[in-house]
Amino acid sequence: MTIKRVGIVGSGIMGSGIAEVAAKAGHDVVLRSRQQVTADAMVASLEKSLAKQVDRGKLEEADRDAALSRVVATDDLEALRESDLIVESVVEDLAVKQELFRQLDGIVGDDAILATNTSTLPVVEMAMVTGRPERVCGVHFFNPAPMMSLVEIVRPLTATDDTIASVTAFAEACGKQPVEVKDRAGFIVNALLFPYLNNAVRMLENQTASRDHIDQAMKGGCNFPMGPLALLDLVGLDTSVAILDALYEEFRDPNYATAPALRRMVAAGHLGRKSGQGFYDY
Ligand SMILES: NC(=O)c1ccc[n+]([C@@H]2O[C@H](COP(=O)([O-])OP(=O)(O)OC[C@H]3O[C@@H](n4cnc5c(N)ncnc54)[C@H](O)[C@@H]3O)[C@@H](O)[C@H]2O)c1
C-alpha cells in the first residue's frame, strides 16, 4: 500500500516534528490536536521552522510553500477519515493511547494503517483494541524528528508483512533510515539508552560529580553530542519517567528503576525544555 495521506495526532514535541517531516516529503498531512488553538500553534511553529531553513539556504521558498499547503490543522478526529496512515504521538500513557486507537478504528477506512510513536509501550495492546490488529504497528521517530535519521519500525505479533513494508516505505520516503524491531519495551534505542540516562541521574543524586561535569564528561569522553542530563531535558522528564516505568514493568531490571530525583522533578512540574526548567533552565 502506498501512503499518501497522513494523519498525525498529538501536538507535542514529536507530533509537530513528524508533521514537518511528512509534509516536506510530499504527503498530505492532517494534524489533529484536542484544541484548535494548539493545532494552529503547531502550524505556526512549522512555518517558523521552515522559514529558518529557507534563511539558511537549506530549503527553496517554493518547497516551503508547497509543504505548508499540504498541512491542515484541526481539533476534529473525524477530519482524519481519509488518511492512509495515522501516526499517533500523544502522551506516553497506554490507556490514553488505547482509547485513541479505539476511536480511530471507527473513523478511518478499512485499509488504513494505525501507527504509534510510543517509546516503550506494548504496541500489541493498542492493536488488540481495534478491529484491524494486522494493520497496527509502531513507527518510532527520534527527537528532533526533522533532524534524526532513525525510525524504528515496531512489529507486534499481529502485524502483517504488508503493514510493515508499507510503513517502512513511508519512513524511507520521509528520508529516514528505518530499522525493524520486535515489540519489546524500549525497542532498540531506548532499551539501551535509558539505563545510562537513569544512572546519570543517580550519579548526580549521589553527588559523585556536578551536573556540568557529568554532561561534560560524556561529551568529551565518549564524543556524544550532548550530555545525559541535557538529553533528559530534551526528551522531557515526564516522558522519561514514563519510559523508565514501562521498561521496569517489563524487565524488572534495577537499572530501569526510575531515580527518585527524576520523579520528584516531574512532580514539581520541572519537565525539561518544554516547561522551561529541568536539570537546566531554559
Ligand atoms: N520526547 C521525545 O524525545 C520522544 C521521542 C520519541 C517518541 N516519543 C513519544 O512520542 C509521544 C509524545 O511525546 P512528546 O514528547 O511529543 O510529548 P509532549 O508532552 O510534548 O506532548 C504530548 C501530547 O499529548 C497530548 N495529550 C496529553 N494527554 C492527552 C490525552 N489524555 N488525550 C489526547 N492527547 C493528550 C498533549 O496535549 C500533547 O499534545 C509519546 O508516546 C512519547 O513516548 C517521545
Side-chain angles (χ1 to χ4, degrees):
M1 173 187 176
T2 305
I3 288 162
K4 173 77 183 120
R5 285 162 301 205
V6 182
I8 293 172
V9 187
S11 56
I13 305 173
M14 293 307 294
S16 43
I18 299 167
E20 176 176 331
V21 168
K24 273 176 75 178
H27 296 95
D28 293 328
V29 174
V30 180
L31 255 176
R32 190 270 183 178
S33 182
R34 284 175 299 172
Q35 292 172 307
Q36 187 64 43
V37 59
T38 42
D40 292 340
M42 269 175 95
V43 176
S45 90
L46 176 60
E47 280 169 359
K48 210 165 139 192
S49 169
L50 296 178
K52 242 189 240 168
Q53 293 165 44
V54 171
D55 287 347
R56 291 185 191 143
K58 290 186 174 167
L59 185 70
E60 297 294 328
E61 278 187 30
D63 291 336
R64 172 199 61 194
D65 295 345
L68 285 172
S69 73
R70 287 191 280 265
V71 179
V72 173
T74 181
D75 61 356
D76 182 6
L77 218 48
E78 295 280 341
L80 302 171
R81 184 174 293 282
E82 301 298 321
S83 305
D84 302 316
L85 169 71
I86 305 273
V87 180
E88 77 72 23
S89 197
V90 303
V91 66
E92 186 76 339
D93 179 313
L94 184 58
V96 171
K97 288 186 190 285
Q98 284 177 316
E99 179 51 30
L100 181 61
F101 270 77
R102 246 182 235 115
Q103 291 176 359
L104 289 169
D105 189 41
I107 290 174
V108 298
D110 289 345
D111 293 337
I113 296 174
L114 302 179
T116 173
N117 184 42
T118 181
S119 303
T120 36
L121 296 171
V123 179
V124 70
E125 293 194 28
M126 293 170 228
M128 292 308 287
V129 301
T130 73
R132 66 183 79 216
E134 69 287 356
R135 283 193 298 288
V136 174
C137 69
V139 54
H140 185 216
F141 284 83
F142 286 76
N143 181 12
M147 282 172 62
M148 303 298 277
S149 62
L150 180 66
V151 173
E152 289 176 325
I153 307 291
V154 184
R155 182 194 276 266
L157 281 172
T158 43
T160 57
D161 289 346
D162 191 44
T163 296
I164 298 301
S166 301
V167 174
T168 302
F170 162 73
E172 283 168 348
C174 289
K176 302 299 181 191
Q177 290 166 3
V179 295
E180 189 182 319
V181 55
K182 279 189 189 158
D183 183 19
R184 297 283 184 281
F187 317 128
I188 300 171
V189 173
N190 286 337
L192 294 174
L193 175 66
F194 268 82
Y196 154 68
L197 297 180
N198 198 34
N199 280 317
V201 180
R202 292 203 188 126
M203 196 175 261
L204 185 67
E205 280 178 332
N206 294 339
Q207 300 179 346
T208 305
S210 68
R211 171 197 73 181
D212 291 350
H213 282 176
I214 292 170
D215 275 358
Q216 189 186 324
M218 295 312 291
K219 287 198 292 182
C222 294
N223 224 6
F224 289 173
M226 190 179 260
L229 302 170
L231 180 54
L232 281 162
D233 277 355
L234 177 74
V235 171
L237 304 191
D238 52 343
T239 302
S240 298
V241 168
I243 290 171
L244 281 162
D245 285 349
L247 283 162
Y248 187 73
E249 170 76 19
E250 184 142 312
F251 298 115
R252 303 284 160 178
D253 177 336
N255 281 303
Y256 294 132
T258 303
L262 204 50
R263 219 181 276 287
R264 294 293 180 277
M265 290 171 78
V266 172
H270 299 180
L271 306 183
R273 284 192 194 193
K274 64 184 166 189
S275 73
Q277 200 176 2
F279 291 101
Y280 295 82
D281 290 331
Y282 299 90

mmCIF file with all atom_site columns, all heavy atoms in Angstrom, residues 242-256:
data_model
loop_
_atom_site.group_PDB
_atom_site.id
_atom_site.type_symbol
_atom_site.label_atom_id
_atom_site.label_alt_id
_atom_site.label_comp_id
_atom_site.label_asym_id
_atom_site.label_entity_id
_atom_site.label_seq_id
_atom_site.pdbx_PDB_ins_code
_atom_site.Cartn_x
_atom_site.Cartn_y
_atom_site.Cartn_z
_atom_site.occupancy
_atom_site.B_iso_or_equiv
_atom_site.pdbx_formal_charge
_atom_site.auth_seq_id
_atom_site.auth_comp_id
_atom_site.auth_asym_id
_atom_site.auth_atom_id
_atom_site.pdbx_PDB_model_num
ATOM 1   N N   . ALA A 1 242 ? 7.942  7.980  32.220 1.00 0.00 ? 242 ALA A N   1
ATOM 2   C CA  . ALA A 1 242 ? 7.008  7.003  31.622 1.00 0.00 ? 242 ALA A CA  1
ATOM 3   C C   . ALA A 1 242 ? 7.779  5.889  30.909 1.00 0.00 ? 242 ALA A C   1
ATOM 4   O O   . ALA A 1 242 ? 7.415  4.704  30.987 1.00 0.00 ? 242 ALA A O   1
ATOM 5   C CB  . ALA A 1 242 ? 6.054  7.707  30.656 1.00 0.00 ? 242 ALA A CB  1
ATOM 6   N N   . ILE A 1 243 ? 8.851  6.254  30.223 1.00 0.00 ? 243 ILE A N   1
ATOM 7   C CA  . ILE A 1 243 ? 9.661  5.268  29.501 1.00 0.00 ? 243 ILE A CA  1
ATOM 8   C C   . ILE A 1 243 ? 10.323 4.310  30.498 1.00 0.00 ? 243 ILE A C   1
ATOM 9   O O   . ILE A 1 243 ? 10.269 3.081  30.350 1.00 0.00 ? 243 ILE A O   1
ATOM 10  C CB  . ILE A 1 243 ? 10.717 5.981  28.624 1.00 0.00 ? 243 ILE A CB  1
ATOM 11  C CG1 . ILE A 1 243 ? 10.032 6.697  27.453 1.00 0.00 ? 243 ILE A CG1 1
ATOM 12  C CG2 . ILE A 1 243 ? 11.785 4.998  28.122 1.00 0.00 ? 243 ILE A CG2 1
ATOM 13  C CD1 . ILE A 1 243 ? 10.952 7.620  26.646 1.00 0.00 ? 243 ILE A CD1 1
ATOM 14  N N   . LEU A 1 244 ? 10.939 4.860  31.538 1.00 0.00 ? 244 LEU A N   1
ATOM 15  C CA  . LEU A 1 244 ? 11.605 4.007  32.532 1.00 0.00 ? 244 LEU A CA  1
ATOM 16  C C   . LEU A 1 244 ? 10.603 3.093  33.232 1.00 0.00 ? 244 LEU A C   1
ATOM 17  O O   . LEU A 1 244 ? 10.880 1.903  33.455 1.00 0.00 ? 244 LEU A O   1
ATOM 18  C CB  . LEU A 1 244 ? 12.347 4.882  33.556 1.00 0.00 ? 244 LEU A CB  1
ATOM 19  C CG  . LEU A 1 244 ? 13.686 5.431  33.061 1.00 0.00 ? 244 LEU A CG  1
ATOM 20  C CD1 . LEU A 1 244 ? 14.156 6.606  33.917 1.00 0.00 ? 244 LEU A CD1 1
ATOM 21  C CD2 . LEU A 1 244 ? 14.752 4.328  33.038 1.00 0.00 ? 244 LEU A CD2 1
ATOM 22  N N   . ASP A 1 245 ? 9.440  3.636  33.573 1.00 0.00 ? 245 ASP A N   1
ATOM 23  C CA  . ASP A 1 245 ? 8.429  2.810  34.246 1.00 0.00 ? 245 ASP A CA  1
ATOM 24  C C   . ASP A 1 245 ? 7.998  1.642  33.362 1.00 0.00 ? 245 ASP A C   1
ATOM 25  O O   . ASP A 1 245 ? 7.826  0.517  33.843 1.00 0.00 ? 245 ASP A O   1
ATOM 26  C CB  . ASP A 1 245 ? 7.206  3.658  34.639 1.00 0.00 ? 245 ASP A CB  1
ATOM 27  C CG  . ASP A 1 245 ? 7.490  4.550  35.850 1.00 0.00 ? 245 ASP A CG  1
ATOM 28  O OD1 . ASP A 1 245 ? 8.547  4.363  36.505 1.00 0.00 ? 245 ASP A OD1 1
ATOM 29  O OD2 . ASP A 1 245 ? 6.669  5.435  36.137 1.00 0.00 ? 245 ASP A OD2 1
ATOM 30  N N   . ALA A 1 246 ? 7.832  1.921  32.063 1.00 0.00 ? 246 ALA A N   1
ATOM 31  C CA  . ALA A 1 246 ? 7.413  0.842  31.148 1.00 0.00 ? 246 ALA A CA  1
ATOM 32  C C   . ALA A 1 246 ? 8.527  -0.194 31.009 1.00 0.00 ? 246 ALA A C   1
ATOM 33  O O   . ALA A 1 246 ? 8.261  -1.403 30.953 1.00 0.00 ? 246 ALA A O   1
ATOM 34  C CB  . ALA A 1 246 ? 7.043  1.426  29.790 1.00 0.00 ? 246 ALA A CB  1
ATOM 35  N N   . LEU A 1 247 ? 9.771  0.259  30.972 1.00 0.00 ? 247 LEU A N   1
ATOM 36  C CA  . LEU A 1 247 ? 10.902 -0.677 30.874 1.00 0.00 ? 247 LEU A CA  1
ATOM 37  C C   . LEU A 1 247 ? 10.992 -1.531 32.143 1.00 0.00 ? 247 LEU A C   1
ATOM 38  O O   . LEU A 1 247 ? 11.206 -2.745 32.080 1.00 0.00 ? 247 LEU A O   1
ATOM 39  C CB  . LEU A 1 247 ? 12.207 0.103  30.660 1.00 0.00 ? 247 LEU A CB  1
ATOM 40  C CG  . LEU A 1 247 ? 12.426 0.635  29.242 1.00 0.00 ? 247 LEU A CG  1
ATOM 41  C CD1 . LEU A 1 247 ? 13.486 1.733  29.228 1.00 0.00 ? 247 LEU A CD1 1
ATOM 42  C CD2 . LEU A 1 247 ? 12.840 -0.500 28.301 1.00 0.00 ? 247 LEU A CD2 1
ATOM 43  N N   . TYR A 1 248 ? 10.821 -0.881 33.294 1.00 0.00 ? 248 TYR A N   1
ATOM 44  C CA  . TYR A 1 248 ? 10.922 -1.613 34.559 1.00 0.00 ? 248 TYR A CA  1
ATOM 45  C C   . TYR A 1 248 ? 9.781  -2.636 34.679 1.00 0.00 ? 248 TYR A C   1
ATOM 46  O O   . TYR A 1 248 ? 9.998  -3.789 35.088 1.00 0.00 ? 248 TYR A O   1
ATOM 47  C CB  . TYR A 1 248 ? 10.907 -0.646 35.742 1.00 0.00 ? 248 TYR A CB  1
ATOM 48  C CG  . TYR A 1 248 ? 11.186 -1.358 37.048 1.00 0.00 ? 248 TYR A CG  1
ATOM 49  C CD1 . TYR A 1 248 ? 12.476 -1.799 37.342 1.00 0.00 ? 248 TYR A CD1 1
ATOM 50  C CD2 . TYR A 1 248 ? 10.164 -1.641 37.939 1.00 0.00 ? 248 TYR A CD2 1
ATOM 51  C CE1 . TYR A 1 248 ? 12.731 -2.498 38.517 1.00 0.00 ? 248 TYR A CE1 1
ATOM 52  C CE2 . TYR A 1 248 ? 10.412 -2.336 39.110 1.00 0.00 ? 248 TYR A CE2 1
ATOM 53  C CZ  . TYR A 1 248 ? 11.700 -2.759 39.404 1.00 0.00 ? 248 TYR A CZ  1
ATOM 54  O OH  . TYR A 1 248 ? 11.964 -3.445 40.559 1.00 0.00 ? 248 TYR A OH  1
ATOM 55  N N   . GLU A 1 249 ? 8.600  -2.193 34.299 1.00 0.00 ? 249 GLU A N   1
ATOM 56  C CA  . GLU A 1 249 ? 7.418  -3.065 34.339 1.00 0.00 ? 249 GLU A CA  1
ATOM 57  C C   . GLU A 1 249 ? 7.667  -4.347 33.526 1.00 0.00 ? 249 GLU A C   1
ATOM 58  O O   . GLU A 1 249 ? 7.318  -5.440 33.941 1.00 0.00 ? 249 GLU A O   1
ATOM 59  C CB  . GLU A 1 249 ? 6.241  -2.261 33.759 1.00 0.00 ? 249 GLU A CB  1
ATOM 60  C CG  . GLU A 1 249 ? 4.976  -3.028 33.477 1.00 0.00 ? 249 GLU A CG  1
ATOM 61  C CD  . GLU A 1 249 ? 4.190  -3.349 34.742 1.00 0.00 ? 249 GLU A CD  1
ATOM 62  O OE1 . GLU A 1 249 ? 4.438  -2.679 35.757 1.00 0.00 ? 249 GLU A OE1 1
ATOM 63  O OE2 . GLU A 1 249 ? 3.370  -4.290 34.696 1.00 0.00 ? 249 GLU A OE2 1
ATOM 64  N N   . GLU A 1 250 ? 8.326  -4.190 32.380 1.00 0.00 ? 250 GLU A N   1
ATOM 65  C CA  . GLU A 1 250 ? 8.515  -5.354 31.509 1.00 0.00 ? 250 GLU A CA  1
ATOM 66  C C   . GLU A 1 250 ? 9.705  -6.225 31.931 1.00 0.00 ? 250 GLU A C   1
ATOM 67  O O   . GLU A 1 250 ? 9.636  -7.435 31.900 1.00 0.00 ? 250 GLU A O   1
ATOM 68  C CB  . GLU A 1 250 ? 8.702  -4.904 30.062 1.00 0.00 ? 250 GLU A CB  1
ATOM 69  C CG  . GLU A 1 250 ? 8.813  -6.059 29.100 1.00 0.00 ? 250 GLU A CG  1
ATOM 70  C CD  . GLU A 1 250 ? 8.127  -5.807 27.768 1.00 0.00 ? 250 GLU A CD  1
ATOM 71  O OE1 . GLU A 1 250 ? 6.970  -5.360 27.771 1.00 0.00 ? 250 GLU A OE1 1
ATOM 72  O OE2 . GLU A 1 250 ? 8.761  -6.045 26.732 1.00 0.00 ? 250 GLU A OE2 1
ATOM 73  N N   . PHE A 1 251 ? 10.822 -5.603 32.320 1.00 0.00 ? 251 PHE A N   1
ATOM 74  C CA  . PHE A 1 251 ? 12.053 -6.386 32.522 1.00 0.00 ? 251 PHE A CA  1
ATOM 75  C C   . PHE A 1 251 ? 12.473 -6.545 33.989 1.00 0.00 ? 251 PHE A C   1
ATOM 76  O O   . PHE A 1 251 ? 13.331 -7.364 34.288 1.00 0.00 ? 251 PHE A O   1
ATOM 77  C CB  . PHE A 1 251 ? 13.210 -5.753 31.737 1.00 0.00 ? 251 PHE A CB  1
ATOM 78  C CG  . PHE A 1 251 ? 12.977 -5.722 30.250 1.00 0.00 ? 251 PHE A CG  1
ATOM 79  C CD1 . PHE A 1 251 ? 12.837 -4.516 29.571 1.00 0.00 ? 251 PHE A CD1 1
ATOM 80  C CD2 . PHE A 1 251 ? 12.876 -6.900 29.533 1.00 0.00 ? 251 PHE A CD2 1
ATOM 81  C CE1 . PHE A 1 251 ? 12.616 -4.491 28.199 1.00 0.00 ? 251 PHE A CE1 1
ATOM 82  C CE2 . PHE A 1 251 ? 12.658 -6.887 28.157 1.00 0.00 ? 251 PHE A CE2 1
ATOM 83  C CZ  . PHE A 1 251 ? 12.528 -5.678 27.491 1.00 0.00 ? 251 PHE A CZ  1
ATOM 84  N N   . ARG A 1 252 ? 11.935 -5.696 34.876 1.00 0.00 ? 252 ARG A N   1
ATOM 85  C CA  . ARG A 1 252 ? 12.289 -5.746 36.312 1.00 0.00 ? 252 ARG A CA  1
ATOM 86  C C   . ARG A 1 252 ? 13.799 -5.647 36.532 1.00 0.00 ? 252 ARG A C   1
ATOM 87  O O   . ARG A 1 252 ? 14.347 -6.233 37.467 1.00 0.00 ? 252 ARG A O   1
ATOM 88  C CB  . ARG A 1 252 ? 11.767 -7.023 36.976 1.00 0.00 ? 252 ARG A CB  1
ATOM 89  C CG  . ARG A 1 252 ? 10.289 -7.202 36.855 1.00 0.00 ? 252 ARG A CG  1
ATOM 90  C CD  . ARG A 1 252 ? 9.536  -6.288 37.798 1.00 0.00 ? 252 ARG A CD  1
ATOM 91  N NE  . ARG A 1 252 ? 8.153  -6.142 37.347 1.00 0.00 ? 252 ARG A NE  1
ATOM 92  C CZ  . ARG A 1 252 ? 7.218  -5.445 37.956 1.00 0.00 ? 252 ARG A CZ  1
ATOM 93  N NH1 . ARG A 1 252 ? 7.503  -4.789 39.053 1.00 0.00 ? 252 ARG A NH1 1
ATOM 94  N NH2 . ARG A 1 252 ? 6.005  -5.349 37.491 1.00 0.00 ? 252 ARG A NH2 1
ATOM 95  N N   . ASP A 1 253 ? 14.468 -4.969 35.651 1.00 0.00 ? 253 ASP A N   1
ATOM 96  C CA  . ASP A 1 253 ? 15.916 -4.767 35.787 1.00 0.00 ? 253 ASP A CA  1
ATOM 97  C C   . ASP A 1 253 ? 16.126 -3.501 36.616 1.00 0.00 ? 253 ASP A C   1
ATOM 98  O O   . ASP A 1 253 ? 15.563 -2.444 36.283 1.00 0.00 ? 253 ASP A O   1
ATOM 99  C CB  . ASP A 1 253 ? 16.489 -4.598 34.358 1.00 0.00 ? 253 ASP A CB  1
ATOM 100 C CG  . ASP A 1 253 ? 17.984 -4.301 34.348 1.00 0.00 ? 253 ASP A CG  1
ATOM 101 O OD1 . ASP A 1 253 ? 18.512 -3.776 35.354 1.00 0.00 ? 253 ASP A OD1 1
ATOM 102 O OD2 . ASP A 1 253 ? 18.613 -4.570 33.322 1.00 0.00 ? 253 ASP A OD2 1
ATOM 103 N N   . PRO A 1 254 ? 16.900 -3.576 37.720 1.00 0.00 ? 254 PRO A N   1
ATOM 104 C CA  . PRO A 1 254 ? 17.056 -2.393 38.596 1.00 0.00 ? 254 PRO A CA  1
ATOM 105 C C   . PRO A 1 254 ? 17.613 -1.164 37.868 1.00 0.00 ? 254 PRO A C   1
ATOM 106 O O   . PRO A 1 254 ? 17.365 -0.036 38.295 1.00 0.00 ? 254 PRO A O   1
ATOM 107 C CB  . PRO A 1 254 ? 18.023 -2.858 39.687 1.00 0.00 ? 254 PRO A CB  1
ATOM 108 C CG  . PRO A 1 254 ? 18.361 -4.268 39.399 1.00 0.00 ? 254 PRO A CG  1
ATOM 109 C CD  . PRO A 1 254 ? 17.583 -4.760 38.217 1.00 0.00 ? 254 PRO A CD  1
ATOM 110 N N   . ASN A 1 255 ? 18.316 -1.386 36.770 1.00 0.00 ? 255 ASN A N   1
ATOM 111 C CA  . ASN A 1 255 ? 18.816 -0.232 36.022 1.00 0.00 ? 255 ASN A CA  1
ATOM 112 C C   . ASN A 1 255 ? 17.688 0.619  35.445 1.00 0.00 ? 255 ASN A C   1
ATOM 113 O O   . ASN A 1 255 ? 17.895 1.761  35.065 1.00 0.00 ? 255 ASN A O   1
ATOM 114 C CB  . ASN A 1 255 ? 19.714 -0.696 34.865 1.00 0.00 ? 255 ASN A CB  1
ATOM 115 C CG  . ASN A 1 255 ? 21.084 -1.064 35.369 1.00 0.00 ? 255 ASN A CG  1
ATOM 116 O OD1 . ASN A 1 255 ? 21.764 -0.247 35.981 1.00 0.00 ? 255 ASN A OD1 1
ATOM 117 N ND2 . ASN A 1 255 ? 21.478 -2.304 35.139 1.00 0.00 ? 255 ASN A ND2 1
ATOM 118 N N   . TYR A 1 256 ? 16.501 0.011  35.330 1.00 0.00 ? 256 TYR A N   1
ATOM 119 C CA  . TYR A 1 256 ? 15.348 0.740  34.792 1.00 0.00 ? 256 TYR A CA  1
ATOM 120 C C   . TYR A 1 256 ? 14.494 1.366  35.904 1.00 0.00 ? 256 TYR A C   1
ATOM 121 O O   . TYR A 1 256 ? 13.481 2.000  35.610 1.00 0.00 ? 256 TYR A O   1
ATOM 122 C CB  . TYR A 1 256 ? 14.456 -0.196 33.968 1.00 0.00 ? 256 TYR A CB  1
ATOM 123 C CG  . TYR A 1 256 ? 15.077 -0.737 32.686 1.00 0.00 ? 256 TYR A CG  1
ATOM 124 C CD1 . TYR A 1 256 ? 15.006 -2.095 32.375 1.00 0.00 ? 256 TYR A CD1 1
ATOM 125 C CD2 . TYR A 1 256 ? 15.690 0.103  31.774 1.00 0.00 ? 256 TYR A CD2 1
ATOM 126 C CE1 . TYR A 1 256 ? 15.547 -2.601 31.193 1.00 0.00 ? 256 TYR A CE1 1
ATOM 127 C CE2 . TYR A 1 256 ? 16.238 -0.397 30.591 1.00 0.00 ? 256 TYR A CE2 1
ATOM 128 C CZ  . TYR A 1 256 ? 16.160 -1.744 30.315 1.00 0.00 ? 256 TYR A CZ  1
ATOM 129 O OH  . TYR A 1 256 ? 16.688 -2.235 29.147 1.00 0.00 ? 256 TYR A OH  1
#
